[in-house]
Amino acid sequence: MSTSAVSVSTRNDAPPRTLRWRVVDIVVAAVLGVAIGLVFWAWNAVGGTWFGAADALTPGLGGTAVGIWLLGGVVGGLVIRKPGAALVVEVIAATISMMIGNQWGVSTVLSGLVQGLGAELFFALFLYRRFGLPVAMLAGIGAGVAAWIFEMFYGSSPNILKTVEFNLIYLGSLIVSGALLAGLVGWLLVRALAATGALSRFAAGRELRREV
């Protein structure tokens, strides 16, 4: 069989691209949200300790620990590739973390909502057509910047009351953490899931099969 014939066959095997949600998309969004919510819950202790230690070293540097809490939006967007996926998975994950129990209560869900929107923005900017590492890192950065804006004005001691130096260091820390701990780690996690065959009904799984 010729190379061109194989290429045509591969294209024909793939379902037509649509931005409408399927039942399997809804189910997988829920499963990803719950799984990442458990990751959030486990990270609450580790990340909280990291945050406090880094902030004690340099106020604002605690933002380097936040990226793991931004994973839901990146992973949801990379796997499901539909409008709203990043937002839905991040909010579900935040809700699970709150329900299991943490020190932030309902503000966890509000944070998840804002962070999910930050990640969603970058998937939307690329019209839900590009899902490589650069886009994943941009989505992580978007979630981090959204977290910075939210914390600037929310709570009994919003960051707007703190120094300009603190807020600039915190913003820079969130950008780096969002790019690496959410973007890069999220991208690697999706590739690892795809390698197991768990994403065979998604474009992320089919893309990995074509690479190998």
Side-chain angles (χ1 to χ4, degrees), residues 109-130:
V109 179
L110 298 177
S111 295
L113 177 63
V114 174
Q115 293 158 9
L117 286 171
E120 189 77 44
L121 173 63
F122 280 94
F123 291 116
L125 284 176
F126 288 94
L127 303 177
Y128 301 97
R129 290 180 178 274
R130 296 184 181 276

Side-chain angles (χ1 to χ4, degrees), residues 19-122:
L19 295 181
R20 295 180 61 184
W21 282 63
R22 306 167 296 171
V23 173
V24 67
D25 296 327
I26 298 170
V27 172
V28 169
V31 171
L32 286 174
V34 171
I36 294 173
L38 294 175
V39 172
F40 286 0
W41 175 75
W43 187 249
N44 288 342
V46 177
T49 301
W50 176 349
F51 191 103
D55 239 28
L57 181 65
T58 301
L61 203 60
T64 55
V66 172
I68 294 298
W69 288 306
L70 311 176
L71 264 178
V74 175
V75 172
L78 292 178
V79 172
I80 300 172
R81 304 187 175 187
K82 305 286 175 66
L87 174 61
V88 167
V89 174
E90 183 72 27
V91 169
I92 292 174
T95 302
I96 293 298
S97 176
M98 180 196 69
M99 291 175 64
I100 295 175
N102 62 36
Q103 63 267 46
W104 301 290
V106 72
S107 66
T108 306
V109 179
L110 298 177
S111 295
L113 177 63
V114 174
Q115 293 158 9
L117 286 171
E120 189 77 44
L121 173 63
F122 280 94

Side-chain angles (χ1 to χ4, degrees), residues 193-206:
L193 285 172
T196 69
L199 303 180
S200 60
R201 298 187 64 181
F202 293 86
R206 294 191 294 271

